Amino acid sequence: MANMAQAIRLALNYSEKNLQLRDVFGQDVGAPLGGVFTATQGLKTSWNTPLDERGIISMAMGIAMAGDRCVAEIQFCDYIFNTIDLLKIAGNTLWCTNGQYKLPMTVMTPVGAGIRGSVYHSHSFDSWASRIQGWKVVMPSTPLDAYGLLLSAIKDPNPVLFLKPKALMRVRGDELIPGEPADEKELKMRIDAPIGDRSKWKADWPQTEEYRVEIGKGKITRQGEQITVVSWGRHLLLANEIADELKADGVSVEVIDLRSIYPYDWGMIKKSVEKTGRVLIVNEDTEVTNFGEHLIYRVVQELFYQLLARPRLIAGKNVPGIGLHPNLEDATVPQKAEIKSAILEIIEEVP
Amino acid sequence: MSYSKTTSSKSNSAKANFAKVVSKKKSLVKMSSKSVKSSKSAKSNTSTQSLGQLPDKTLIQMLDLMIKSRVLEERLIKIYRAGESYFWIGGPGEEAWGVPIGLLANKGQGVKHDFLHLHYRCTPTLIAMGMPMKDSIRLMMNRVTDPSTGGRNFSNHYCIPEMNIAPVTSPIGVQYGIALGTAHAQKRAGAKAISIVTGGDAGTAEGDFASCLIWASRKDNELPMLITVQNNYWGISTSYEGQHGETNIADRARGFNIRSRVVNGNDPVESYLALKEEMDYIRKTGKPSFIEAKVSRLYGHSSASGANLVTSEEDCIKSFSDKLVSKKIITEKEVKAIWSAYEEEALRATEEARGEGAPTSDSIWDHVFADNENSDWRKF
Ligand SMILES: Cc1ncc(C[n+]2csc(CCOP(=O)(O)OP(=O)(O)O)c2C)c(N)n1
Ligand SMILES: [Mg+2]
């Protein structure tokens, strides 16, 4: 099984060959490194940029304006903040021009904590991104979804932000990408750049196939009856684990992988909460004006009389950074135990 | 809205004017164009112009378009004063620089034509490219018929995809970065088209300006870009001296081995010749070039500062028409006729635009996403 970095690489290779992807660029994205998480190794169209995030986003906007497809990378989302007005412009260009200039560009960036990345390699961007209108925002939790969402992002006529949970870059899924060799070692041999001199290395790309995850569609990853847990990215996998553990104790948890932050799959959330009457939203961006609060607002507005307990959000603590020492990081971003006990509390709550 | 037909023709009355004037003059006027002005001399209100070796036809065409642009801007200010618009910002005083750009650009849509990444003082360029006055007035009056923004944005925030006019946006300086991307795509297409980018002097302090110089000049990755600055010596109320340690902004380009020069942007001939030379160089070499144009700001920053006529700075149209009159390339009477024909056209266009519809409230959700895919979360 491909890990997420390999899945992204496969998606980019597929897109170079089949979706007119013309440029993949960012800091250290081209040879020899192929990205700090190796997600762009071996590609034909990848190239290294100056160390200039604003330049990277601007370049993508211009390429898109000229009608070519590109994927730009910001090396860590911690460094995307100085481009936020450019992201605003990329998102409002179509609207400001009354529908005249589309900007079909994809920006991908690693997000979140979980690798002991200290203050400036642990930020999240999903809630911030949800406030930048005109963008679609996606965040996969599995390699297969990463592949399918990236193809959709590249095809989409709008700017799409593809958030890569950095702690999941080396995590394998349990479903093959269509066309992916079943043998992990073979895949590695064919598409991972060798250690040492890479000047003569070329990837031997497997013929992966078109597989798309529609932007705006979530996925029920665990069926359950007593509570709905909505999450995305790294914490989705935690939610799955918890649901499996609780199942053994006779607690039935439904887990929704939202996958798209905007547009989001309200239909799926609604149907699930109507069934369970209880909802917990989990993500690691900071908790004040967190995107999960919007979802809870909507749950309260539309499903108030079907609720059996107060909806709840578990998110990152509202502090300026994520400290390096594990005591600090673990106290800042949601942990498994906290999520599990919240689920049990909500289930026990009676109206 | 197609500009392909209107670009080389002006309004009928103006066209007649122009043809009449040109037909009378046959001689070439020969004068030196080497008149790079120091920062101080470009700010005086006395003429600093030359005539170069341009045919009378081009000289008169430039004067004609400069007047047209000025008349339009003055009409926009009147529309603001009459309370028929909320804000005015524009380019009166920068015509001698802007008109030649419009005349020289390879006009059209797509990577085989030039892209223009402009700021809010570029009406002269668009007038020279054939934008009808009425379209600017529609933008000024936020009509639904405004072809640039449909009533969504400020005056002079043009967007004309048919002519590769990238949307003008308010955040200062961002166009310098975005132009890199169109230049990159143009270079790949290999059609010798270039990306032209311009902005104000104060805006060069933004990081995007530095980004532009850095990305455009990477060794073996140079981009076909004409990078320009319209230096009017002001950033709202901040003087040039208040911000700049460098002697000329153009000096910054040299640090990146970008060919660079300063021109008197109050002189349409000098501007034309410099632009032509640099555009030819870029098309030939695929490398960037830089021009800083010293210009005047004749009505202050915007309506927020009153939009009153400034008499202490050179008026490039007055200088140029005086020069053409004194060289007997045009008569005073003919110049007057150009002004009044355009004034009449602008007035008519205003009356027509006034009667056109306004954008409807329910249109706010239009074009958030492409092809009007729903973007309203209430309907997800
Ligand atoms: C990023 C940004 N900061 C501030 C402003 C407000 N603002 C509008 S115009 C202007 C001055 C620009 O001066 P300059 O670049 O010299 O252009 P000019 O208006 O003189 O042509 C400022 C500060 C803005 N529009 N964008
Ligand atoms: Mg200025």
Side-chain angles (χ1 to χ4, degrees):
Chain A
M1 294 300 159
N3 63 33
M4 196 182 282
Q6 290 171 322
I8 289 168
R9 222 184 287 159
L10 289 168
L12 293 170
N13 170 257
Y14 178 88
S15 304
E16 286 179 339
K17 290 192 294 208
N18 301 290
L19 302 181
Q20 283 87 47
L21 175 63
R22 306 296 296 273
D23 291 286
V24 179
F25 57 97
Q27 293 154 14
D28 308 295
V29 156
L33 190 59
V36 289
F37 290 96
T38 73
T40 53
Q41 286 182 343
L43 298 168
K44 250 205 190 97
T45 59
S46 63
W47 50 280
N48 288 333
T49 65
L51 205 168
D52 174 15
E53 289 77 18
R54 292 185 64 83
I56 292 167
I57 300 297
S58 308
M59 172 59 85
M61 292 166 70
I63 291 172
M65 197 172 275
D68 286 344
R69 299 275 158 161
C70 66
V71 174
E73 177 169 89
I74 297 297
Q75 198 164 65
F76 294 93
C77 83
D78 309 66
Y79 307 117
I80 205 171
F81 291 88
N82 73 338
T83 74
I84 216 153
D85 68 310
L86 291 168
L87 300 178
K88 289 281 297 174
I89 297 168
N92 71 29
T93 293
L94 184 76
W95 190 89
C96 287
T97 64
N98 209 19
Q100 297 191 85
Y101 265 115
K102 291 180 191 170
L103 293 184
M105 56 192 263
T106 300
V107 172
M108 59 180 191
T109 188
V111 296
I115 60 160
R116 305 297 178 210
S118 129
V119 183
Y120 270 94
H121 301 81
S122 300
H123 275 91
S124 289
F125 200 65
D126 40 325
S127 288
W128 292 89
S130 71
R131 298 187 47 80
I132 308 178
Q133 297 77 15
W135 282 79
K136 296 185 177 179
V137 183
V138 301
M139 186 157 161
S141 67
T142 69
L144 182 63
D145 280 353
Y147 184 90
L149 282 170
L150 191 47
L151 259 53
S152 293
I154 291 164
K155 268 266 190 186
D156 202 278
N158 300 287
V160 181
L161 191 57
F162 182 88
L163 303 177
K164 311 188 266 195
K166 67 171 86 73
L168 300 187
M169 295 299 278
R170 299 277 169 269
V171 175
R172 297 175 197 287
D174 46 22
E175 290 167 290
L176 281 176
I177 292 162
E180 176 193 342
D183 179 4
E184 246 167 61
K185 284 206 182 99
E186 182 193 336
L187 181 68
K188 183 175 166 53
M189 287 282 293
R190 291 175 65 176
I191 71 166
D192 283 7
I195 308 288
D197 181 21
R198 295 169 173 184
S199 54
K200 304 220 165 52
W201 174 74
K202 267 173 99 175
D204 170 21
W205 295 105
Q207 292 291 321
T208 56
E209 290 158 32
E210 176 97 12
Y211 171 81
R212 284 209 243 154
V213 172
E214 196 185 328
I215 297 176
K217 291 282 173 238
K219 184 181 177 186
I220 295 178
T221 57
R222 296 292 184 272
Q223 303 262 358
E225 303 298 326
Q226 291 174 278
I227 184 170
T228 302
V229 177
V230 181
S231 190
W232 49 90
R234 180 165 74 102
H235 283 80
L236 187 278
L237 299 191
L238 280 184
N240 284 344
E241 264 177 46
I242 294 166
D244 293 344
E245 288 170 15
L246 287 176
K247 195 172 179 182
D249 303 338
V251 177
S252 175
V253 178
E254 180 139 303
V255 180
I256 292 178
D257 184 351
L258 200 59
R259 302 197 291 196
S260 291
I261 310 297
Y262 210 90
Y264 60 87
D265 196 340
W266 173 245
M268 182 173 282
I269 297 173
K270 182 168 186 252
K271 204 163 153 219
S272 178
V273 176
E274 277 170 346
K275 175 176 72 177
T276 63
R278 294 179 158 90
V279 63
L280 170 68
I281 319 271
V282 184
N283 68 83
E284 60 181 307
D285 207 336
T286 47
E287 60 201 345
V288 175
T289 58
N290 183 283
F291 177 65
E293 292 181 335
H294 166 74
L295 296 178
I296 288 178
Y297 167 78
R298 192 157 183 194
V299 164
V300 169
Q301 290 300 308
E302 295 187 28
L303 304 170
F304 187 69
Y305 296 106
Q306 281 133 290
L307 289 175
L308 301 170
R310 292 166 298 160
R312 193 155 153 192
L313 168 70
I314 297 184
K317 298 295 184 299
N318 199 36
V319 294
I322 291 166
L324 179 55
H325 192 282
N327 287 349
L328 304 174
E329 174 167 332
D330 296 356
T332 309
V333 292
Q335 301 296 311
K336 198 168 153 188
E338 182 189 1
I339 300 166
K340 196 169 179 174
S341 56
I343 290 173
L344 293 172
E345 279 167 33
I346 298 169
I347 284 176
E348 274 164 27
E349 189 169 322
V350 279
Chain B
M1 173 84 32
S2 168
Y3 284 85
S4 52
K5 292 200 191 72
T6 54
T7 39
S8 55
S9 68
K10 288 170 275 299
S11 74
N12 288 340
S13 55
K15 192 177 174 188
N17 248 316
F18 174 61
K20 207 167 74 195
V21 174
V22 169
S23 67
K24 281 200 209 160
K25 314 292 168 192
K26 289 175 192 82
S27 65
L28 290 183
V29 181
K30 295 196 172 135
M31 279 189 67
S32 162
S33 69
K34 297 265 181 290
S35 57
V36 173
K37 300 296 158 191
S38 77
S39 60
K40 290 276 152 20
S41 65
K43 289 310 272 185
S44 85
N45 65 352
T46 52
S47 168
T48 54
Q49 292 172 347
S50 61
L51 285 185
Q53 301 177 4
L54 294 177
D56 289 7
K57 185 171 176 261
T58 308
L59 297 173
I60 295 166
Q61 185 188 22
M62 288 203 290
L63 177 65
D64 180 281
L65 292 167
M66 287 163 69
I67 294 172
K68 185 175 185 183
S69 182
R70 177 71 59 81
V71 167
L72 172 58
E73 290 283 22
E74 288 175 343
R75 173 54 50 191
L76 298 184
I77 293 169
K78 286 179 190 128
I79 291 169
Y80 168 76
R81 294 241 161 84
E84 293 191 280
S85 180
Y86 301 101
F87 180 72
W88 169 84
I89 191 162
E94 308 199 11
E95 296 88 353
W97 166 251
V99 162
I101 295 177
L103 290 177
L104 289 164
N106 163 4
K107 192 174 64 185
Q109 187 162 19
V111 286
K112 301 202 163 145
H113 299 276
D114 293 349
F115 268 93
L116 287 94
H117 299 267
L118 308 173
H119 75 325
Y120 45 77
R121 302 214 192 272
C122 296
T123 287
T125 298
L126 294 176
I127 284 293
M129 291 178 84
M131 175 186 69
M133 280 186 171
K134 206 203 299 189
D135 284 350
S136 176
I137 293 168
R138 287 163 159 155
L139 171 60
M140 180 72 188
M141 298 177 86
N142 348 114
R143 300 290 85 193
V144 69
T145 48
D146 151 30
S148 291
T149 81
R152 291 179 170 190
N153 214 339
F154 277 158
S155 69
N156 267 286
H157 286 52
Y158 300 111
C159 167
I160 311 171
E162 295 85 345
M163 302 198 296
N164 280 349
I165 306 299
V168 174
T169 63
S170 296
I172 298 290
V174 296
Q175 69 274 23
Y176 284 100
I178 298 167
L180 296 164
T182 56
H184 174 82
Q186 286 169 315
K187 184 181 174 181
R188 170 156 55 215
K192 307 233 174 275
I194 68 175
S195 285
I196 301 164
V197 59
T198 195
D201 46 303
T204 61
E206 295 284 0
D208 302 303
F209 180 76
S211 292
C212 186
L213 299 178
I214 291 164
W215 290 61
S217 63
R218 292 190 304 144
K219 271 220 167 57
D220 304 322
N221 277 301
E222 291 91 347
L223 294 175
M225 296 180 77
L226 176 61
I227 307 165
T228 75
V229 174
Q230 300 176 208
N231 182 358
N232 61 14
Y233 294 86
W234 292 107
I236 305 186
S237 69
T238 302
S239 68
Y240 184 86
E241 289 72 24
Q243 172 174 313
H244 297 266
E246 73 273 38
T247 306
N248 289 307
I249 295 167
D251 298 340
R252 292 180 65 188
R254 287 195 194 103
F256 295 86
N257 295 313
I258 296 174
R259 195 165 122 134
S260 168
R261 66 204 280 180
V262 181
V263 303
N264 175 8
N266 274 326
D267 182 341
V269 173
E270 184 181 332
S271 297
Y272 185 100
L273 294 172
L275 284 160
K276 171 107 183 47
E277 198 175 312
E278 297 312 312
M279 286 186 191
D280 288 348
Y281 164 81
I282 301 162
R283 290 187 211 286
K284 205 167 123 204
T285 63
K287 293 185 177 171
S289 171
F290 188 100
I291 310 180
E292 173 185 354
K294 312 268 193 195
V295 296
S296 297
R297 191 181 75 171
L298 285 189
Y299 281 85
H301 178 71
S302 70
S303 55
S305 55
N308 296 312
L309 180 64
V310 171
T311 51
S312 55
E313 297 191 22
E314 176 176 357
D315 177 345
C316 60
I317 298 183
K318 186 172 183 320
S319 308
F320 193 48
S321 58
D322 286 354
K323 189 133 285 174
L324 296 195
V325 168
S326 77
K327 299 281 169 196
K328 303 205 182 330
I329 293 168
I330 195 167
T331 66
E332 225 158 288
K333 201 169 147 216
E334 287 162 342
V335 174
K336 275 204 183 112
I338 297 174
W339 281 92
S340 52
Y342 284 134
E343 271 155 11
E344 194 189 305
E345 182 181 343
L347 197 60
R348 213 178 329 115
T350 307
E351 279 157 13
E352 285 166 15
R354 187 179 290 130
E356 292 172 350
T360 57
S361 329
D362 62 359
S363 69
I364 59 165
W365 292 100
D366 292 352
H367 312 302
V368 178
F369 285 147
D371 312 316
N372 264 342
E373 179 185 338
N374 174 50
S375 62
D376 182 356
W377 57 272
R378 293 166 190 83
K379 297 176 188 158
F380 289 164

